[in-house]
Amino acid sequence: MVVVGPVRNCSATIAAEVARFRSVLSGFASLSFLVVESDSTDDSVQQLRQLAAQVPGFAFESMGVLRDRHPIRCDRIAVCRNVYVERLASDPRYRHIDYVMGADLDNVNHQLSAEAVLSCWRSDVDWSGMTANQRLAYYDIWALRHPVWAPVDCWAAYREMAAVVGHRQAIEMCVASKQVRVPVDAAPIEVESAFGGFAVYRREAFVTGRYVGVDANGGEVNEHIGFHADLRARGHRLYINPAMINADFTEHTYYKTPLGHLRKELMWRVRETADSLHCREQLEAAIDAVKKMLAGSSMERPGKLR
């Protein structure tokens, strides 16, 4: 096994993330890590160096500042992800790897267990990739492609529909309505693309893909879409594994909890009032400032209301 993932400003959390995965995956014959860092403004690189010195099999690469050359977020992430794809394909140190675990290393996998991961090998389907599920509601609609459930880019659809039905209805139609609960005991769901913060791939499939974060017109796209299209073009099959729970909910589905629902309703009322007073931009700036103050640092996330 090798756990791979991109990181930025991870100094406060990366040691705990590595410890969690080492515990969850301790039953495998061997475990290594390959992490790619970029654009950090904290002491992430120093923390990664310490882990490389202390944790057997831990390796990382720093890409420095990518923002100037790759101003689009998913483009930067794609650059970092492709570094470990290429390393796994060509570096002899990773010749022994059988399975690749792609992981978001920002605490989204806090409910992942050994049993959840092992459920991939208890399935009857012939899979090349298995992706995670969340207990309350599946959240990662931007990375999802399914001919019925999510056939198009949800945020492209949102932007188109917002001009017709307004922001709130567009969000409900194009994103929220698709964040549904997938029962843990459901059969694996074959998809064209998915992620959900964690995925297990067979190595021979993983190294055939390349991540792409911008489209032909320079617009931002989810980097998993192109990667999984490459795998499927070579005959590899991808599934959501309902039993592989990595979280109860995430920040993207917190609104489905009772308290989160109340907060969502309040925020929509505030935004609608701001729109009527023509001060939406000032309100969004104030909300961002409060979030940054509460979080202690800024975080890049897809799907933010603009």
Side-chain angles (χ1 to χ4, degrees), residues 93-130:
R93 287 177 294 179
Y94 297 102
R95 239 178 242 150
H96 69 290
I97 295 298
D98 297 307
Y99 295 94
V100 181
M101 295 188 167
D104 282 345
L105 298 168
D106 57 358
N107 199 39
V108 74
N109 292 293
H110 59 277
Q111 292 292 322
L112 190 69
S113 67
E115 281 299 304
V117 176
L118 289 172
S119 69
C120 294
W121 287 271
R122 294 172 181 149
S123 170
D124 293 332
V125 300
D126 181 19
W127 58 271
S128 293
M130 283 278 204

Side-chain angles (χ1 to χ4, degrees), residues 72 74 142 145 152-175 213-215 217-222 301-306:
I72 296 175
C74 283
W142 200 23
R145 289 293 186 279
V152 299
D153 184 312
C154 65
W155 292 112
Y158 157 76
R159 289 189 292 271
E160 185 170 333
M161 291 306 302
V164 179
V165 300
H167 292 285
R168 183 169 189 174
Q169 287 301 318
I171 285 285
E172 293 295 331
M173 291 169 62
C174 302
V175 184
V214 292
D215 61 21
N217 298 316
E220 186 172 29
V221 294
N222 188 282
R301 293 292 181 190
K304 178 183 174 184
L305 284 175
R306 297 291 183 185

Side-chain angles (χ1 to χ4, degrees), residues 82-301:
N82 285 330
V83 170
Y84 52 68
V85 174
E86 290 161 7
R87 287 276 293 274
L88 293 175
S90 60
D91 192 327
R93 287 177 294 179
Y94 297 102
R95 239 178 242 150
H96 69 290
I97 295 298
D98 297 307
Y99 295 94
V100 181
M101 295 188 167
D104 282 345
L105 298 168
D106 57 358
N107 199 39
V108 74
N109 292 293
H110 59 277
Q111 292 292 322
L112 190 69
S113 67
E115 281 299 304
V117 176
L118 289 172
S119 69
C120 294
W121 287 271
R122 294 172 181 149
S123 170
D124 293 332
V125 300
D126 181 19
W127 58 271
S128 293
M130 283 278 204
T131 69
N133 182 28
Q134 297 77 50
R135 200 176 305 277
L136 179 63
Y138 185 84
Y139 82 91
D140 199 3
I141 306 304
W142 200 23
L144 179 65
R145 289 293 186 279
H146 181 279
V148 176
W149 183 4
V152 299
D153 184 312
C154 65
W155 292 112
Y158 157 76
R159 289 189 292 271
E160 185 170 333
M161 291 306 302
V164 179
V165 300
H167 292 285
R168 183 169 189 174
Q169 287 301 318
I171 285 285
E172 293 295 331
M173 291 169 62
C174 302
V175 184
S177 66
K178 301 178 186 302
Q179 290 176 319
V180 297
R181 178 178 174 271
V182 179
V184 175
D185 57 355
I189 302 170
E190 187 163 12
V191 293
E192 296 168 6
S193 177
F195 186 55
F198 184 78
V200 183
Y201 301 93
R202 299 187 189 276
R203 179 189 179 277
E204 64 268 23
F206 187 82
V207 297
T208 65
R210 291 299 180 271
Y211 291 93
V212 179
V214 292
D215 61 21
N217 298 316
E220 186 172 29
V221 294
N222 188 282
E223 73 277 7
H224 294 285
I225 304 301
F227 179 77
H228 290 138
D230 286 347
L231 269 60
R232 291 177 56 253
R234 291 166 174 82
H236 298 294
R237 300 176 71 178
L238 308 168
Y239 295 82
I240 293 173
N241 177 2
M244 192 159 66
I245 297 290
N246 64 343
D248 289 333
F249 57 88
T250 73
E251 64 177 299
H252 303 292
T253 49
Y254 175 68
Y255 73 93
K256 289 184 176 287
T257 67
L259 184 59
H261 177 74
L262 290 174
R263 188 178 76 171
K264 181 190 78 168
E265 291 299 314
L266 174 62
M267 292 309 299
W268 273 118
R269 290 183 181 275
V270 170
R271 285 186 170 101
E272 287 165 356
T273 301
D275 283 343
S276 69
L277 297 173
H278 305 291
C279 61
R280 177 69 174 269
E281 289 187 6
Q282 294 91 326
L283 174 67
E284 293 285 2
I287 291 172
D288 283 346
V290 171
K291 285 181 177 178
K292 290 177 182 179
M293 180 180 67
L294 293 175
S297 63
S298 62
M299 297 180 68
E300 294 181 329
R301 293 292 181 190

Side-chain angles (χ1 to χ4, degrees), residues 16-28:
E17 289 289 284
V18 170
R20 177 185 295 117
F21 279 106
R22 291 184 76 196
S23 175
V24 169
L25 305 174
S26 61
F28 289 96

Side-chain angles (χ1 to χ4, degrees), residues 34-64:
L34 181 53
V35 173
V36 180
E37 179 276 338
S38 78
D39 297 278
S40 295
T41 56
D42 61 4
D43 61 345
S44 291
V45 173
Q46 180 181 342
Q47 291 296 319
L48 293 168
R49 286 190 184 121
Q50 289 182 9
L51 286 171
Q54 297 167 356
V55 177
F58 184 92
F60 78 97
E61 186 161 337
S62 177
M63 302 299 291

